[in-house]
């Protein structure tokens, strides 16, 4: 139908610094499909409240692990019932598992038939999995064959890659613009997140003012989660890059 064609064409929601482009039309994504509860909005005297969020809180980790277990259960069920589903490559699933464990996630023994089903509103492959599982449970003919799933996966994968690239380039553009407009002597609060290459002291910091993760070359050993003061020493706007360094505070 028209909604499915729209979702298939976009393949995924795109998250840009300037706003979100949802997979489904805004009338649905911002309304019946939205998780936000909105009653009356006073546009005459708008107020914006900010709250510091702990992205590594136990509650968020619990939700994330439950979503992974739900996807694992769906994958096991589909494999046992021989349902054609858009499974992920096992190598990619293993990389994601290793990254989660490095971030402090608990160990979960999941089957090798890795699947994602928890975001059918923003990922078309998840929506296709829902189509298939719902039809199978209801005893109906599956909407897609194994060959059809393969074709959809290939087409969606290409579109998702383009969307991810667009999102990253947009993010890099606005980050470069932000630092280019700051005073040369400006100092920013940051938190050291992880090492990219510890042997060369190349790591990632979260710049708190803009909530963005940016590479940084450290001149000393740093602990994960350590607060830092940083400064921008160079902005290459055409190439969308910024160069950060730790600021020496008196």
């Amino acid at each position: 139908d028209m909604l499915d064609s729209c979702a298939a064409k976009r393949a995924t929601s795109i998250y840009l610094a300037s706003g979100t482009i949802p997979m489904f039309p805004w009338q649905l994504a911002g309304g019946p499909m939205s998780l936000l509860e909105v009653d009356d909005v006073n546009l005459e005297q708008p107020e914006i409240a900010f709250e510091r969020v702990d992205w590594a809180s136990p509650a968020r980790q619990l939700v994330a692990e439950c979503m992974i277990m739900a996807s694992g259960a769906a994958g096991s069920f589909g494999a046992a019932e021989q349902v054609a589903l858009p499974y992920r490559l096992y190598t990619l699933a293993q990389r994601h598992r290793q990254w989660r464990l490095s971030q402090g996630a608990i160990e979960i023994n999941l089957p090798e038939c890795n699947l994602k089903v928890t975001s059918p509103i923003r990922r078309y492959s998840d929506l296709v999995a829902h189509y298939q599982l719902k039809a199978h449970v209801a005893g109906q003919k599956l909407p897609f064959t194994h060959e059809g799933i393969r074709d959809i996966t290939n087409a969606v994968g290409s579109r998702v890659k383009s969307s991810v690239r667009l999102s990253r380039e947009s993010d890099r553009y606005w980050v470069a613009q932000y630092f280019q407009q700051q005073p040369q002597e400006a100092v920013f609060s940051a938190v050291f997140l992880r090492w990219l290459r510890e042997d060369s002291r190349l790591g990632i910091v979260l710049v708190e003012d803009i909530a963005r993760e940016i590479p940084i070359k450290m001149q000393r050993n740093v602990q994960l989660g350590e607060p830092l003061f940083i400064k921008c020493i160079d902005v290459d706007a055409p190439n969308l890059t910024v160069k950060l360094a730790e600021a020496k505070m008196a």
Side-chain angles (χ1 to χ4, degrees):
D1 60 14
M2 186 178 299
L3 283 177
D4 180 77
S5 298
C6 176
K9 184 177 180 180
R10 294 182 178 178
T12 182
S13 295
I14 305 175
Y15 300 94
L16 307 175
S18 55
T20 300
I21 303 175
M23 185 175 75
F24 283 101
W26 264 116
Q27 292 87 336
L28 292 175
M33 294 181 177
S34 174
L35 298 178
L36 298 177
E37 182 178 346
V38 179
D39 294 320
D40 296 326
V41 179
N42 185 357
L43 298 180
E44 297 296 328
Q45 295 180 333
E47 294 183 1
I48 301 177
F50 293 91
E51 179 181 354
R52 188 183 183 92
V53 175
D54 181 8
W55 292 100
S57 68
R60 287 182 176 273
Q61 288 187 7
L62 177 62
V63 171
E65 299 302 328
C66 285
M67 292 173 70
I68 293 170
M69 287 190 289
S71 293
S76 297
F77 176 80
E81 297 291 318
Q82 297 185 336
V83 181
L85 293 168
Y87 290 107
R88 303 170 68 204
L89 291 175
Y90 184 58
T91 52
L92 295 178
Q94 280 293 87
R95 290 175 188 172
H96 183 246
R97 172 181 172 274
Q98 292 171 359
W99 177 85
R100 290 192 309 102
L101 293 177
S102 71
Q103 301 300 305
I106 55 177
E107 176 70 79
I108 300 176
N109 293 321
L110 294 177
E112 296 187 7
C113 42
N114 194 272
L115 182 70
K116 282 190 173 184
V117 297
T118 55
S119 299
I121 297 174
R122 64 182 183 90
R123 284 196 301 254
Y124 188 69
S125 58
D126 292 38
L127 183 62
V128 169
H130 278 241
Y131 288 155
Q132 296 289 91
L133 291 170
K134 181 179 179 181
H136 179 76
V137 171
Q140 301 171 353
K141 180 181 178 180
L142 299 185
F144 306 105
T145 63
H146 285 281
E147 291 74 17
I149 290 289
R150 181 189 60 200
D151 293 341
I152 290 174
T153 301
N154 290 336
V156 167
S158 176
R159 293 166 190 159
V160 169
K161 286 181 180 178
S162 297
S163 298
V164 170
R165 184 167 57 251
L166 173 62
S167 179
R168 287 177 178 172
E169 289 182 355
S170 171
D171 193 71
R172 291 172 60 196
Y173 169 82
W174 287 110
V175 167
Q177 289 295 313
Y178 173 80
F179 281 108
Q180 196 170 41
Q181 295 173 15
Q182 303 306 308
Q184 188 174 3
E185 66 280 4
V187 174
F188 309 90
S189 297
V191 176
F192 189 82
L193 296 182
R194 61 186 179 275
W195 291 109
L196 288 177
R197 294 193 298 273
E198 189 171 1
D199 57 340
S200 57
R201 290 183 176 173
L202 181 63
I204 294 289
V205 293
L206 174 67
V207 182
E208 296 182 342
D209 286 354
I210 55 176
R212 289 294 182 271
E213 297 181 12
I214 304 176
I216 185 172
K217 176 79 170 181
M218 299 299 301
Q219 301 300 319
R220 62 181 180 91
N221 291 326
V222 187
Q223 298 297 318
L224 302 185
E226 181 177 336
L228 301 172
F229 290 107
I230 62 168
K231 60 182 178 180
C232 180
I233 58 177
D234 185 55
V235 177
D236 186 350
N239 291 313
L240 308 180
T241 60
V242 298
K243 188 175 182 180
L244 304 180
E246 186 175 11
K248 303 299 181 182
M249 305 300 292

